[in-house]
Amino acid sequence: SEVIYGLVKDYLNIKTPYYSNTAFASQIYSSNEFGEDGLVDGIPVWCFIFYCLRAGSVDAAISVVQKLTHAPALQNELRNILREYKLSNDGYLSRKTEEQLKLNYQRTIRLSNDAFKKSVYSIFARCAHDQFYAEIFDKVDDFLWIKLKKVSFAEPERESTNISTLGISLPDQFNLSQFKQEVIEELGESYFDAQDQPFLYFRALFLTLQWEAAVEFLFRFDAYRCY
């Protein structure tokens, strides 16, 4: 985890070198324009956590949280969430935790100015599947990654009906069928620039388990029929 932590930190210092400037970082933190809830090693905490998760390391994200000594309540909340997330074999938090996070997202998090914070919470809660921040997700692979993170593979009965009694209306869960429809019907070939980047669209279909459509699409190209 420390290796990934260091790699993500170095990457962010190159990608966003102004974060390593303490004076500037303090300025952008106070303005809440680039980050909320403070800094860790000169990097806004939510940005740091997000890229640790994007790198596939929950342990590295936990390492970031361990350094949130200036915000003990937030540190404790995130530590518990990340540990539960790590221990889950299928990537699910418990129903109770997930529903509480959905409520928190609807009440406060969605109003945040920090796109990284909203993205991290929406991954844990598997919500806000229609929210997409171009300043973060500048590659199609990133789009596919966060969409798949929000897909719910659970059976419908897993969802609790008690959440509606709290007086907050939450969006329906985002399932794989909906994501398939979005990729092939709502977005389609033009979004993925399929004619110029056929393997990109093929990958989008393949990763969403649309095997027949993926093979049929690639078969249209003489040069790729052998594949």
Side-chain angles (χ1 to χ4, degrees), residues 106-132:
Q106 284 294 97
R107 286 170 171 165
T108 59
I109 305 300
R110 66 183 179 86
L111 303 175
S112 169
N113 292 320
D114 192 327
F116 289 108
K117 182 175 184 176
K118 288 186 283 191
S119 296
V120 168
Y121 267 95
S122 67
I123 288 171
F124 290 143
R126 296 182 188 272
C127 66
H129 59 83
D130 56 339
Q131 296 299 313
F132 189 74

mmCIF file of all heavy atoms in Angstrom, residues 106-132:
data_model
loop_
_atom_site.group_PDB
_atom_site.id
_atom_site.type_symbol
_atom_site.label_atom_id
_atom_site.label_comp_id
_atom_site.label_asym_id
_atom_site.label_seq_id
_atom_site.Cartn_x
_atom_site.Cartn_y
_atom_site.Cartn_z
ATOM 1 N N GLN A 106 -27.468 12.526 -0.699
ATOM 2 C CA GLN A 106 -28.620 13.334 -1.083
ATOM 3 C C GLN A 106 -28.761 14.591 -0.234
ATOM 4 O O GLN A 106 -29.133 15.654 -0.731
ATOM 5 C CB GLN A 106 -29.897 12.499 -0.968
ATOM 6 C CG GLN A 106 -30.079 11.491 -2.094
ATOM 7 C CD GLN A 106 -30.286 12.177 -3.427
ATOM 8 O OE1 GLN A 106 -29.335 12.332 -4.192
ATOM 9 N NE2 GLN A 106 -31.501 12.586 -3.716
ATOM 10 N N ARG A 107 -28.433 14.477 1.053
ATOM 11 C CA ARG A 107 -28.620 15.607 1.969
ATOM 12 C C ARG A 107 -27.533 16.667 1.821
ATOM 13 O O ARG A 107 -27.830 17.864 1.804
ATOM 14 C CB ARG A 107 -28.635 15.096 3.406
ATOM 15 C CG ARG A 107 -29.919 14.370 3.797
ATOM 16 C CD ARG A 107 -29.769 13.691 5.140
ATOM 17 N NE ARG A 107 -31.028 13.169 5.656
ATOM 18 C CZ ARG A 107 -31.135 12.309 6.636
ATOM 19 N NH1 ARG A 107 -30.042 11.857 7.239
ATOM 20 N NH2 ARG A 107 -32.317 11.887 7.049
ATOM 21 N N THR A 108 -26.277 16.238 1.745
ATOM 22 C CA THR A 108 -25.181 17.211 1.793
ATOM 23 C C THR A 108 -24.129 17.050 0.705
ATOM 24 O O THR A 108 -23.717 18.026 0.085
ATOM 25 C CB THR A 108 -24.464 17.135 3.159
ATOM 26 O OG1 THR A 108 -23.953 15.804 3.361
ATOM 27 C CG2 THR A 108 -25.417 17.483 4.294
ATOM 28 N N ILE A 109 -23.673 15.825 0.466
ATOM 29 C CA ILE A 109 -22.517 15.615 -0.410
ATOM 30 C C ILE A 109 -22.756 16.122 -1.819
ATOM 31 O O ILE A 109 -21.870 16.713 -2.442
ATOM 32 C CB ILE A 109 -22.104 14.126 -0.448
ATOM 33 C CG1 ILE A 109 -21.841 13.596 0.968
ATOM 34 C CG2 ILE A 109 -20.880 13.932 -1.324
ATOM 35 C CD1 ILE A 109 -20.742 14.332 1.698
ATOM 36 N N ARG A 110 -23.950 15.929 -2.331
ATOM 37 C CA ARG A 110 -24.242 16.344 -3.708
ATOM 38 C C ARG A 110 -24.143 17.859 -3.880
ATOM 39 O O ARG A 110 -24.017 18.362 -5.011
ATOM 40 C CB ARG A 110 -25.619 15.848 -4.142
ATOM 41 C CG ARG A 110 -26.782 16.473 -3.381
ATOM 42 C CD ARG A 110 -28.105 15.875 -3.805
ATOM 43 N NE ARG A 110 -29.225 16.443 -3.069
ATOM 44 C CZ ARG A 110 -29.850 17.561 -3.418
ATOM 45 N NH1 ARG A 110 -29.492 18.198 -4.515
ATOM 46 N NH2 ARG A 110 -30.853 18.024 -2.681
ATOM 47 N N LEU A 111 -24.202 18.594 -2.769
ATOM 48 C CA LEU A 111 -24.109 20.060 -2.819
ATOM 49 C C LEU A 111 -22.664 20.547 -2.743
ATOM 50 O O LEU A 111 -22.405 21.741 -2.844
ATOM 51 C CB LEU A 111 -24.910 20.671 -1.670
ATOM 52 C CG LEU A 111 -26.401 20.287 -1.619
ATOM 53 C CD1 LEU A 111 -27.052 20.866 -0.371
ATOM 54 C CD2 LEU A 111 -27.114 20.758 -2.875
ATOM 55 N N SER A 112 -21.734 19.628 -2.572
ATOM 56 C CA SER A 112 -20.325 19.982 -2.449
ATOM 57 C C SER A 112 -19.788 20.562 -3.757
ATOM 58 O O SER A 112 -20.265 20.244 -4.856
ATOM 59 C CB SER A 112 -19.509 18.740 -2.060
ATOM 60 O OG SER A 112 -18.128 18.982 -2.180
ATOM 61 N N ASN A 113 -18.776 21.419 -3.631
ATOM 62 C CA ASN A 113 -18.094 21.953 -4.808
ATOM 63 C C ASN A 113 -16.921 21.083 -5.238
ATOM 64 O O ASN A 113 -16.256 21.379 -6.219
ATOM 65 C CB ASN A 113 -17.582 23.371 -4.521
ATOM 66 C CG ASN A 113 -18.705 24.365 -4.346
ATOM 67 O OD1 ASN A 113 -19.703 24.322 -5.056
ATOM 68 N ND2 ASN A 113 -18.554 25.271 -3.383
ATOM 69 N N ASP A 114 -16.666 20.025 -4.479
ATOM 70 C CA ASP A 114 -15.517 19.159 -4.737
ATOM 71 C C ASP A 114 -15.978 17.936 -5.529
ATOM 72 O O ASP A 114 -16.634 17.047 -4.997
ATOM 73 C CB ASP A 114 -14.892 18.730 -3.404
ATOM 74 C CG ASP A 114 -13.531 18.068 -3.593
ATOM 75 O OD1 ASP A 114 -13.338 17.394 -4.623
ATOM 76 O OD2 ASP A 114 -12.670 18.228 -2.708
ATOM 77 N N ALA A 115 -15.616 17.895 -6.826
ATOM 78 C CA ALA A 115 -16.034 16.786 -7.684
ATOM 79 C C ALA A 115 -15.429 15.467 -7.232
ATOM 80 O O ALA A 115 -16.050 14.409 -7.393
ATOM 81 C CB ALA A 115 -15.641 17.059 -9.135
ATOM 82 N N PHE A 116 -14.221 15.515 -6.650
ATOM 83 C CA PHE A 116 -13.596 14.284 -6.163
ATOM 84 C C PHE A 116 -14.368 13.719 -4.973
ATOM 85 O O PHE A 116 -14.570 12.501 -4.865
ATOM 86 C CB PHE A 116 -12.144 14.552 -5.759
ATOM 87 C CG PHE A 116 -11.227 14.818 -6.917
ATOM 88 C CD1 PHE A 116 -10.734 16.090 -7.150
ATOM 89 C CD2 PHE A 116 -10.860 13.798 -7.781
ATOM 90 C CE1 PHE A 116 -9.888 16.344 -8.219
ATOM 91 C CE2 PHE A 116 -10.013 14.034 -8.851
ATOM 92 C CZ PHE A 116 -9.525 15.313 -9.076
ATOM 93 N N LYS A 117 -14.800 14.588 -4.082
ATOM 94 C CA LYS A 117 -15.560 14.150 -2.917
ATOM 95 C C LYS A 117 -16.870 13.490 -3.347
ATOM 96 O O LYS A 117 -17.227 12.406 -2.855
ATOM 97 C CB LYS A 117 -15.843 15.347 -2.007
ATOM 98 C CG LYS A 117 -16.586 15.005 -0.721
ATOM 99 C CD LYS A 117 -16.715 16.243 0.169
ATOM 100 C CE LYS A 117 -17.356 15.910 1.507
ATOM 101 N NZ LYS A 117 -17.398 17.088 2.412
ATOM 102 N N LYS A 118 -17.570 14.128 -4.268
ATOM 103 C CA LYS A 118 -18.826 13.571 -4.740
ATOM 104 C C LYS A 118 -18.607 12.235 -5.445
ATOM 105 O O LYS A 118 -19.403 11.306 -5.297
ATOM 106 C CB LYS A 118 -19.516 14.576 -5.672
ATOM 107 C CG LYS A 118 -20.081 15.780 -4.930
ATOM 108 C CD LYS A 118 -20.890 16.681 -5.835
ATOM 109 C CE LYS A 118 -20.005 17.538 -6.715
ATOM 110 N NZ LYS A 118 -20.780 18.589 -7.410
ATOM 111 N N SER A 119 -17.518 12.128 -6.178
ATOM 112 C CA SER A 119 -17.233 10.889 -6.900
ATOM 113 C C SER A 119 -16.926 9.750 -5.943
ATOM 114 O O SER A 119 -17.405 8.620 -6.124
ATOM 115 C CB SER A 119 -16.066 11.095 -7.871
ATOM 116 O OG SER A 119 -16.389 12.036 -8.863
ATOM 117 N N VAL A 120 -16.128 10.021 -4.915
ATOM 118 C CA VAL A 120 -15.767 8.986 -3.942
ATOM 119 C C VAL A 120 -17.015 8.477 -3.218
ATOM 120 O O VAL A 120 -17.242 7.267 -3.105
ATOM 121 C CB VAL A 120 -14.735 9.506 -2.927
ATOM 122 C CG1 VAL A 120 -14.583 8.527 -1.754
ATOM 123 C CG2 VAL A 120 -13.384 9.722 -3.600
ATOM 124 N N TYR A 121 -17.845 9.391 -2.744
ATOM 125 C CA TYR A 121 -19.051 8.982 -2.030
ATOM 126 C C TYR A 121 -20.017 8.229 -2.945
ATOM 127 O O TYR A 121 -20.666 7.267 -2.534
ATOM 128 C CB TYR A 121 -19.746 10.191 -1.415
ATOM 129 C CG TYR A 121 -19.328 10.472 0.005
ATOM 130 C CD1 TYR A 121 -18.334 11.390 0.291
ATOM 131 C CD2 TYR A 121 -19.932 9.807 1.079
ATOM 132 C CE1 TYR A 121 -17.936 11.651 1.598
ATOM 133 C CE2 TYR A 121 -19.548 10.062 2.386
ATOM 134 C CZ TYR A 121 -18.552 10.984 2.643
ATOM 135 O OH TYR A 121 -18.170 11.230 3.936
ATOM 136 N N SER A 122 -20.117 8.674 -4.192
ATOM 137 C CA SER A 122 -21.060 8.008 -5.099
ATOM 138 C C SER A 122 -20.599 6.604 -5.453
ATOM 139 O O SER A 122 -21.422 5.727 -5.747
ATOM 140 C CB SER A 122 -21.243 8.843 -6.372
ATOM 141 O OG SER A 122 -20.050 8.878 -7.145
ATOM 142 N N ILE A 123 -19.285 6.365 -5.424
ATOM 143 C CA ILE A 123 -18.768 5.014 -5.647
ATOM 144 C C ILE A 123 -19.152 4.110 -4.484
ATOM 145 O O ILE A 123 -19.660 2.998 -4.673
ATOM 146 C CB ILE A 123 -17.241 5.040 -5.828
ATOM 147 C CG1 ILE A 123 -16.872 5.650 -7.189
ATOM 148 C CG2 ILE A 123 -16.656 3.631 -5.713
ATOM 149 C CD1 ILE A 123 -15.398 5.919 -7.360
ATOM 150 N N PHE A 124 -18.927 4.579 -3.266
ATOM 151 C CA PHE A 124 -19.255 3.772 -2.092
ATOM 152 C C PHE A 124 -20.750 3.498 -1.991
ATOM 153 O O PHE A 124 -21.173 2.399 -1.649
ATOM 154 C CB PHE A 124 -18.776 4.470 -0.815
ATOM 155 C CG PHE A 124 -17.284 4.499 -0.664
ATOM 156 C CD1 PHE A 124 -16.650 5.604 -0.114
ATOM 157 C CD2 PHE A 124 -16.498 3.433 -1.061
ATOM 158 C CE1 PHE A 124 -15.273 5.639 0.030
ATOM 159 C CE2 PHE A 124 -15.123 3.449 -0.923
ATOM 160 C CZ PHE A 124 -14.505 4.557 -0.371
ATOM 161 N N ALA A 125 -21.553 4.511 -2.297
ATOM 162 C CA ALA A 125 -23.011 4.382 -2.157
ATOM 163 C C ALA A 125 -23.682 3.836 -3.405
ATOM 164 O O ALA A 125 -24.887 3.579 -3.392
ATOM 165 C CB ALA A 125 -23.617 5.738 -1.800
ATOM 166 N N ARG A 126 -22.938 3.700 -4.483
ATOM 167 C CA ARG A 126 -23.477 3.257 -5.768
ATOM 168 C C ARG A 126 -24.691 4.097 -6.157
ATOM 169 O O ARG A 126 -25.801 3.587 -6.392
ATOM 170 C CB ARG A 126 -23.872 1.772 -5.708
ATOM 171 C CG ARG A 126 -22.703 0.832 -5.482
ATOM 172 C CD ARG A 126 -23.143 -0.628 -5.487
ATOM 173 N NE ARG A 126 -22.061 -1.505 -5.089
ATOM 174 C CZ ARG A 126 -21.160 -2.032 -5.897
ATOM 175 N NH1 ARG A 126 -21.202 -1.744 -7.182
ATOM 176 N NH2 ARG A 126 -20.212 -2.822 -5.436
ATOM 177 N N CYS A 127 -24.457 5.391 -6.222
ATOM 178 C CA CYS A 127 -25.551 6.305 -6.553
ATOM 179 C C CYS A 127 -25.037 7.366 -7.523
ATOM 180 O O CYS A 127 -23.866 7.377 -7.882
ATOM 181 C CB CYS A 127 -26.105 6.956 -5.287
ATOM 182 S SG CYS A 127 -24.960 8.061 -4.442
ATOM 183 N N ALA A 128 -25.940 8.260 -7.925
ATOM 184 C CA ALA A 128 -25.591 9.361 -8.833
ATOM 185 C C ALA A 128 -24.899 8.839 -10.078
ATOM 186 O O ALA A 128 -23.899 9.391 -10.529
ATOM 187 C CB ALA A 128 -24.717 10.384 -8.112
ATOM 188 N N HIS A 129 -25.450 7.764 -10.655
ATOM 189 C CA HIS A 129 -24.796 7.150 -11.805
ATOM 190 C C HIS A 129 -24.823 8.029 -13.049
ATOM 191 O O HIS A 129 -24.087 7.793 -14.001
ATOM 192 C CB HIS A 129 -25.449 5.798 -12.124
ATOM 193 C CG HIS A 129 -26.910 5.886 -12.425
ATOM 194 N ND1 HIS A 129 -27.389 6.209 -13.661
ATOM 195 C CD2 HIS A 129 -27.998 5.687 -11.633
ATOM 196 C CE1 HIS A 129 -28.708 6.215 -13.636
ATOM 197 N NE2 HIS A 129 -29.111 5.899 -12.425
ATOM 198 N N ASP A 130 -25.673 9.061 -13.052
ATOM 199 C CA ASP A 130 -25.738 9.956 -14.199
ATOM 200 C C ASP A 130 -24.821 11.166 -14.054
ATOM 201 O O ASP A 130 -24.753 12.005 -14.952
ATOM 202 C CB ASP A 130 -27.175 10.438 -14.406
ATOM 203 C CG ASP A 130 -27.750 11.118 -13.161
ATOM 204 O OD1 ASP A 130 -27.215 10.873 -12.057
ATOM 205 O OD2 ASP A 130 -28.726 11.880 -13.297
ATOM 206 N N GLN A 131 -24.113 11.245 -12.922
ATOM 207 C CA GLN A 131 -23.194 12.354 -12.699
ATOM 208 C C GLN A 131 -21.817 11.989 -13.244
ATOM 209 O O GLN A 131 -21.268 10.944 -12.918
ATOM 210 C CB GLN A 131 -23.091 12.679 -11.211
ATOM 211 C CG GLN A 131 -24.384 13.175 -10.598
ATOM 212 C CD GLN A 131 -24.878 14.465 -11.246
ATOM 213 O OE1 GLN A 131 -24.119 15.401 -11.443
ATOM 214 N NE2 GLN A 131 -26.161 14.499 -11.598
ATOM 215 N N PHE A 132 -21.273 12.887 -14.069
ATOM 216 C CA PHE A 132 -19.983 12.625 -14.714
ATOM 217 C C PHE A 132 -19.228 13.938 -14.824
ATOM 218 O O PHE A 132 -19.729 14.905 -15.393
ATOM 219 C CB PHE A 132 -20.215 12.031 -16.107
ATOM 220 C CG PHE A 132 -18.980 11.521 -16.767
ATOM 221 C CD1 PHE A 132 -18.388 10.340 -16.348
ATOM 222 C CD2 PHE A 132 -18.404 12.214 -17.813
ATOM 223 C CE1 PHE A 132 -17.254 9.858 -16.955
ATOM 224 C CE2 PHE A 132 -17.270 11.745 -18.434
ATOM 225 C CZ PHE A 132 -16.698 10.559 -18.003
#
